[in-house]
Amino acid sequence: MSKSPMPGTSGMFTKSTSGLSGKGASGISGRRLTTAVAVGLAMTAAVRDAAAVRDAAAGDVLPVEPGSEIVSAGATGFLTTDADADVRWTRYADGSTTEFGRDYGQFTDTLGHGSLSDVVVTGNSSMPAGYTRVTLTDTSPGGAAPYWIDLPRTGPFAYTYLGAVGSTVVATTAASDTGRAVHLLSRTDGVPSDRRVTGLDPAAYAVAATAADRNSVVLRYRTGTAYEAPAFLAVVDLATASVVETHPLGADGSPDSVALSATHLAWIHGDGTTGKGALSVARRGQQATRTAVSGVYSPRVGLAGDQVVYGNPTRLIHGSDAATMALHTVPASGGTPRRLLDHFTSLAPAPDGSLLAMGGTLAGGEGVHRIEAGAGAPLSAVLVATTGEPTAVKLLGHNVPAVADLDRNGGRLWLEWRLSRLNVEMTVTLRHTATGATDTAWLHPDNGDSHGPQRANYSWDGMIGPNRAAAPNGAWTWEMKAVPLNGVGPAVVATGSFTVTRKPAPHDFNDNGSPDLLARDTAGRLWRADTSFDPINPWLSGAGEPALVGGGWQIYNQIEAAGNLGGSSVGDLVARDAAGVLWLYQGRGNGTFAGRVRVGGGWGAYTRLAGGSDLTGDGRADLVATDKAGALWLHQGTGSTSAPFAARRKVGLGGWQAFNQITAVGNVAGGPAGDLVARDTAGVLWLYQGRGDGTFTTRVKVGGGWGAYTHLVGIGDGNRDGRADLWASSPDGGSYFYQGTGNARAPFRGRTAGTALWPTSPYNHVS
């Protein structure tokens, strides 16, 4: 929601590339300064109560907007800017807030909105007549009425705003007949004052206000225009408006951050490439001691008591190393660093000598922490205000369906986990309970810059293993492991379960939805090959090595995949022996078959058998057979294991002896039931479209050249498009795939060649 600036303002101060607020200016003399600055009263900012001042479960911990950063701290509250750049003052006593509009600048290492007091400074650079209006608002209970200071931005009296300490505004002017000047602007008992800082090097250039305590401000400057010009820090006493100590920065140049306390001055340099830097600490009025530090890239530094606090401000959703994201403390006299916060993003001094840091701990979560030392105790970090966000990665919920129907959505399953942040490496492992088969995915979700719950998604294609075999039906478990990329916090592990289901497929013997092919070698061994479809190429290939079903199958002269005859969820097969007895082998769903069951004798009268297709529209697989006279007979499926077929019925009077192969292909023509294709001795393939009553329409010529194949198998839906398909093999072991179209005039697309399902060793039967 957009918020307007406070009355009398339309914007805030923003930093220039030199770290100053405002643009360049020309000089003015000290005796004319009092006429260049106008001071007056301003309207009071509106104060609103927070909707929820505190959470009862959180005790006295206040709420603060996620994405907020600490700008400054006073005796009665603190100033933040949130993810929308809204500037907000929050009172410690009750959590009520005062809003000061929106600021699109950066607050790190600036005193732009005031420091170390309850005074908040806002500004408007769009004032008429070339002025910048600086408004000072005392947010403390019973505080003085807000007042403003107008700073000229152009001409010989131009001021550049540097920052504020309490109700004292720090500004600078360009070089003039009296040299570069820094001014302290304030009002006492309604009377404005403008004091020029004394003792500052007259050659000072690129002056910036970098740190403060309640009584002093630190100025950073160079003594020349070149980037390599000598750099210095000067401590200015606010009471006397004079420089009381100066520290040369030497070869290190301008520091990344500076801190000041009543007893010490500290500054830190980092190396954005190697992380090798230097920490300099000086007792007030004494020479600094420089210590090499590692793991500092763009660091911040603070002082609390006789302790130095430092670290790299890094958002929790960024970073690559936990050690470099932490906020550390070390004695000003030197020693071993100790971790205070697991990460932080901003740091500000408070008037009582403590620090406020926006950051988090694994135990307490994200928010504003007060850093202070007790009597004789080391520094501690206490949560003052919480964003309600965890510092460690947390699983907030998931969307994994209890039942996954892989006949839908092209066989894909959408899995989703809601995490507190997404800068993680995720491992998702899916495991089939019955077989132990697994599929593992390694994911790197896109974190972005969002706050709050984010979604990590995995679109599972329903395939497993390196050969991308179809996943079996049945019970599955899932495990999600998310490891933080920045190392902040432990890995998150969650588990659950779901069930994979599909409609029974006529040529599926291991209950995974993909067609299987059966082949008998010359030694009488029966083999099963699972198939896998590559939608990119697109072809049908074997999903791994063929699996041995068993030996002794040489006793049969016909073996036919017959679809689901016994009422289970997987395909069965029938086999006819030399005596004409037909036997049923019911599939177990794991690629093997139960012991055979006698169907009946007399089947030797048939020259060909074709099964696995529903020809009558009742949802059950049927079987057709041709006799020596050329008639076609229908054996309608019953769904009973003990009597799988009803009494036969003649559905074709004659002429079927002209065909050397008959294949039940399922519904390839878009009609009401399954269809047949038949190949004649000239190699022409014909389509017989089922009417749904066990009979067929007049045949339609598919095309010639089909005599090149040794076997034609109606495998069902091989490419998961909802239509039945055809597989063919050549004498050299070649594997060819014909996708069904649903069009009776052209029931198959052009063939695609895939990898061989079988070795080139001799096989005398494939079904």
Side-chain angles (χ1 to χ4, degrees):
M1 175 177 171
S2 175
K3 301 179 180 67
S4 301
M6 62 177 289
T9 70
S10 63
M12 305 291 176
F13 288 110
T14 59
K15 291 198 308 179
S16 68
T17 54
S18 66
L20 307 180
S21 300
K23 298 295 182 180
S26 58
I28 52 178
S29 66
R31 58 187 174 83
R32 298 175 62 190
L33 285 175
T34 55
T35 63
V37 180
V39 180
L41 295 177
M43 297 179 66
T44 304
V47 177
R48 66 171 178 84
D49 291 333
V53 172
R54 66 192 69 193
D55 188 330
D60 293 331
V61 178
L62 303 173
V64 66
E65 288 284 334
S68 295
E69 299 296 347
I70 285 290
V71 177
S72 66
T76 67
F78 57 89
L79 191 69
T80 60
T81 177
D82 64 19
D84 295 324
D86 294 319
V87 179
R88 182 178 294 113
W89 179 267
T90 300
R91 292 186 60 195
Y92 296 124
D94 57 9
S96 62
T97 60
T98 305
E99 296 192 1
F100 289 90
R102 184 165 289 187
D103 190 324
Y104 296 100
Q106 301 295 318
F107 297 97
T108 303
D109 287 332
T110 74
L111 308 177
H113 287 298
S115 180
L116 295 144
S117 78
D118 295 329
V119 175
V120 177
V121 180
T122 55
N124 180 2
S125 60
S126 301
M127 290 290 293
Y131 282 87
T132 293
R133 172 161 290 180
V134 178
T135 301
L136 293 89
T137 303
D138 188 346
T139 62
S140 63
Y147 66 95
W148 47 260
I149 300 174
D150 283 344
L151 301 175
R153 293 184 289 113
T154 59
F157 307 109
Y159 276 63
T160 298
Y161 176 84
L162 299 184
V165 183
S167 59
T168 300
V169 172
V170 184
T172 185
T173 60
S176 67
D177 56 345
T178 58
R180 183 170 299 276
V182 174
H183 296 265
L184 304 181
L185 311 172
S186 60
R187 189 183 70 162
T188 304
D189 298 327
V191 179
S193 65
D194 183 345
R195 297 172 297 153
R196 177 172 174 170
V197 173
T198 61
L200 184 67
D201 191 322
Y205 186 83
V207 180
T210 62
D213 68 4
R214 298 184 66 178
N215 304 307
S216 308
V217 64
V218 180
L219 302 179
R220 184 193 70 227
Y221 63 92
R222 298 198 304 267
T223 54
T225 59
Y227 180 79
E228 298 82 5
F232 300 86
L233 294 178
V235 179
V236 176
D237 180 75
L238 297 178
T240 62
S242 62
V243 173
V244 294
E245 56 183 290
T246 302
H247 295 268
L249 295 174
D252 287 331
S254 294
D256 289 276
S257 179
V258 180
L260 182 69
S261 72
T263 57
H264 290 84
L265 173 66
W267 61 93
I268 192 167
H269 295 83
D271 186 305
T273 302
T274 67
K276 296 179 180 179
L279 174 63
S280 298
V281 182
R283 186 170 288 277
R284 294 286 293 268
Q286 299 182 14
Q287 188 174 359
T289 299
R290 183 182 184 277
T291 303
V293 289
S294 61
V296 289
Y297 296 88
S298 297
R300 291 291 311 274
V301 68
L303 287 164
D306 61 354
Q307 298 282 310
V308 180
V309 173
Y310 71 93
N312 302 293
T314 310
R315 292 181 63 186
L316 188 58
I317 59 175
H318 299 151
S320 59
D321 178 72
T324 62
M325 294 184 66
L327 183 64
H328 294 91
T329 176
V330 66
S333 58
T336 302
R338 181 174 61 86
R339 181 175 298 192
L340 274 175
L341 297 177
D342 291 302
H343 95 103
F344 84 108
T345 53
S346 51
L347 191 66
D352 62 357
S354 66
L355 297 169
L356 290 190
M358 180 65 73
T361 64
L362 297 179
E366 295 294 292
V368 179
H369 293 75
R370 183 180 295 279
I371 299 172
E372 58 186 352
L379 291 185
S380 62
V382 178
L383 187 64
V384 174
T386 177
T387 67
E389 301 167 302
T391 298
V393 178
K394 297 293 184 183
L395 176 66
L396 306 178
H398 68 81
N399 184 20
V400 179
V403 177
D405 185 351
L406 294 189
D407 284 329
R408 299 183 178 182
N409 302 319
R412 286 192 170 272
L413 175 63
W414 187 259
L415 309 173
E416 180 181 271
W417 293 269
R418 296 187 300 280
L419 300 175
S420 58
R421 54 186 169 98
L422 291 187
N423 54 332
V424 297
E425 180 181 69
M426 279 182 62
T427 305
V428 176
T429 302
L430 309 178
R431 179 174 286 102
H432 187 233
T433 303
T435 64
T438 62
D439 189 60
T440 302
W442 291 267
L443 309 175
H444 288 83
D446 180 16
N447 190 69
D449 285 332
S450 300
H451 288 272
Q454 300 183 66
R455 303 175 190 275
N457 303 311
Y458 174 41
S459 179
W460 185 41
D461 60 3
M463 312 296 280
I464 58 174
N467 296 305
R468 307 314 293 158
N473 293 324
W476 284 75
T477 60
W478 59 263
E479 180 183 272
M480 183 280 297
K481 183 177 182 180
V483 179
L485 291 175
N486 56 21
V488 178
V492 175
V493 179
T495 60
S497 61
F498 63 99
T499 299
V500 169
T501 183
R502 304 178 184 86
K503 293 178 181 178
H507 257 269
D508 179 19
F509 302 114
N510 61 347
D511 198 26
N512 68 348
S514 67
D516 302 320
L517 288 171
L518 300 172
R520 182 184 62 192
D521 63 22
T522 54
R525 294 175 299 180
L526 189 66
W527 299 83
R528 180 185 61 82
D530 198 2
T531 63
S532 177
F533 179 74
D534 184 348
I536 298 176
N537 288 302
W539 62 42
L540 194 74
S541 59
E545 295 296 323
L548 178 64
V549 175
W553 291 80
Q554 70 274 10
I555 65 172
Y556 299 116
N557 57 30
Q558 182 99 25
I559 302 170
E560 186 70 14
N564 177 10
L565 297 176
S568 67
S569 61
V570 295
D572 308 321
L573 64 85
V574 293
R576 184 182 65 187
D577 63 21
V581 177
L582 191 68
W583 300 88
L584 169 65
Y585 286 85
Q586 192 171 11
R588 289 193 175 106
N590 60 1
T592 66
F593 299 91
R596 68 181 186 175
V597 175
R598 179 185 171 98
V599 176
W603 290 78
Y606 296 127
T607 56
R608 308 197 185 284
L609 302 176
S613 184
D614 177 16
L615 304 174
T616 58
D618 62 358
R620 299 189 184 100
D622 305 312
L623 184 71
V624 293
T626 58
D627 61 21
K628 296 175 183 178
L632 182 69
W633 298 88
L634 171 68
H635 290 265
Q636 187 171 351
T638 65
S640 169
T641 305
S642 59
F645 300 112
R648 71 176 188 171
R649 176 163 56 99
K650 184 182 286 188
V651 293
L653 298 180
W656 290 83
Q657 71 274 18
F659 302 116
N660 57 24
Q661 179 137 358
I662 298 174
T663 303
V665 291
N667 188 344
V668 297
D675 309 319
L676 299 179
V677 292
R679 182 183 65 189
D680 63 24
T681 55
V684 176
L685 192 68
W686 301 87
L687 169 67
Y688 287 84
Q689 188 174 10
R691 292 191 176 100
D693 59 359
T695 66
F696 304 93
T697 61
T698 302
R699 71 180 186 176
V700 175
K701 183 177 180 179
V702 176
W706 291 81
Y709 299 125
T710 54
H711 299 91
L712 300 175
V713 181
I715 60 172
D717 185 6
N719 61 352
R720 293 181 292 175
D721 67 351
R723 299 188 182 98
D725 306 311
L726 181 69
W727 176 85
S729 65
S730 59
D732 60 0
S735 177
Y736 301 94
F737 182 55
Y738 289 86
Q739 299 182 53
T741 65
N743 183 352
R745 289 173 294 183
F748 302 110
R749 294 188 178 92
R751 75 177 189 180
T752 56
T755 57
L757 298 179
W758 312 103
T760 56
S761 58
Y763 285 83
N764 54 29
H765 183 84
V766 178
S767 61

